[in-house]
Amino acid sequence: LLDCVLGGGWPLGRIANIVGDKSTGKTLLAIEACANFARRYHNGDILYIEAEAAFDKTYAQALGLPTERITFAEGIDTVEQLFDALTKFIAKRERPGLVIVDSLDALSDTAEMEREVDKGSFGAAKAKMMSQLFRRLVRPLESTRVCVLIISQVRDAIGVMFGDKHTRSGGKALDFYASQALWLSLLKTNKQVVSKVDRAVSLTIRARCKKNKVSLPLRECEFNLRFGYGIEDLDAGFDFLTKIGKERLVPPLD
């Protein structure tokens, strides 16, 4: 169902962005993207850049992550180091590739790392570096058929009186250079009685593709995210078809 929203899946040679609040399945979608990429492209390479220092390889492998096919980049803390890692990955590439950046908000820049904690720059230096990064990489990514999937955390847009009340950090560069922008939101928590205890077993997530340059934009879907399993594809597809069937049974207005 999510592939239908995206227009066939994540595009090769493009930059895609997943934005969402905590516990909305951002990393899980990246894990499933790695598993599907490894299943389809047996000779493709996968680079996983984990900057949050909160990734559990054992749990990810239980969810289907092919750890034997993935190169985990270590020690990438700044945007400059991210640029160097991406440049080396796409250099002289002759087969498809997938790069996961988890997450963009955890990356800093060299100027911020060398600055005192009480000396702020309002994030201007990082936004400028991100703009330079995408300008230099957008053409090489297209020619080498490398998909860069960037995870971003949602932020509240302070002072906004109308329109979207949420945004994400990193400046406006990603809004322009990303071919797909998928926003995730938590709808509800599903509970189930386990051993006479009411426990949370899954989350209902809404995925809305706010930008799509390879297919129709502004499509959305809902799916359950079960803990320890992942996305319940069959249930999501069945609920969608049931809803469509009910809507078609409604008689037209005179």
Side-chain angles (χ1 to χ4, degrees):
L1 193 59
L2 183 59
D3 287 340
C4 296
V5 171
L6 295 173
W10 306 112
L12 290 177
R14 304 283 186 125
I15 299 174
N17 188 208
I18 300 177
V19 189
D21 204 353
K22 60 182 182 299
S23 300
T24 52
K26 302 185 298 297
T27 301
L28 177 62
L29 287 183
I31 291 175
E32 293 205 349
C34 293
N36 294 330
F37 180 86
R39 188 180 301 113
R40 182 170 183 178
Y41 301 100
H42 300 286
N43 63 339
D45 297 322
I46 304 175
L47 176 64
Y48 203 108
I49 301 175
E50 204 280 317
E52 294 183 347
F55 189 77
D56 191 340
K57 293 183 181 180
T58 303
Y59 182 68
Q61 190 173 11
L63 293 175
L65 183 70
T67 54
E68 70 282 353
R69 291 278 309 275
I70 298 178
T71 301
F72 290 92
E74 303 291 343
I76 297 181
D77 301 319
T78 64
V79 178
E80 292 85 350
Q81 293 173 346
L82 172 64
F83 175 76
D84 294 337
L86 291 177
T87 302
K88 294 178 181 179
F89 183 78
I90 64 179
K92 299 180 181 180
R93 176 160 301 278
E94 298 180 356
R95 52 192 180 185
L98 173 65
V99 180
I100 306 295
V101 181
D102 187 9
S103 64
L104 182 63
D105 300 78
L107 294 176
S108 180
D109 58 87
T110 304
E112 183 181 22
M113 298 292 287
E114 297 175 352
R115 189 172 55 245
E116 298 294 334
V117 177
D118 58 340
K119 305 295 183 181
S121 66
F122 305 100
K126 179 180 177 180
K128 183 178 179 180
M129 290 301 302
M130 292 300 302
S131 181
Q132 296 180 14
L133 169 68
F134 294 134
R135 280 200 303 269
R136 296 186 181 186
L137 290 180
V138 62
R139 286 298 183 184
L141 291 175
E142 182 183 13
S143 61
T144 54
R145 300 184 68 203
V146 174
C147 175
V148 178
L149 188 58
I150 301 176
I151 296 176
S152 301
Q153 300 170 4
V154 71
R155 295 286 188 268
D156 291 334
I158 306 300
V160 174
M161 302 301 296
F162 57 90
D164 198 346
K165 300 296 190 299
H166 300 94
T167 182
R168 48 154 190 74
S169 65
K172 292 289 187 179
L174 193 54
D175 290 333
F176 291 104
Y177 289 100
S179 295
Q180 292 176 334
L182 186 70
W183 285 66
L184 307 177
S185 58
L186 175 62
L187 296 182
K188 63 178 180 178
T189 301
N190 304 311
K191 296 184 178 181
Q192 183 178 343
V193 177
V194 180
S195 300
K196 299 182 180 180
V197 179
D198 198 17
R199 302 179 185 274
V201 296
S202 65
L203 304 172
T204 301
I205 305 297
R206 174 182 292 151
R208 188 168 190 260
C209 195
K210 289 189 177 181
K211 178 184 179 182
N212 197 340
K213 298 178 69 176
V214 296
S215 184
L216 298 178
L218 302 178
R219 290 187 171 185
E220 63 181 37
C221 68
E222 297 179 9
F223 52 83
N224 287 337
L225 184 65
R226 181 168 291 274
F227 304 142
Y229 173 76
I231 297 177
E232 296 181 330
D233 298 322
L234 184 60
D235 292 345
F238 181 78
D239 293 340
F240 173 75
L241 293 176
T242 303
K243 179 181 178 180
I244 294 300
K246 290 182 179 179
E247 290 179 352
R248 290 183 177 180
L249 290 176
V250 177
L253 297 177
D254 294 334

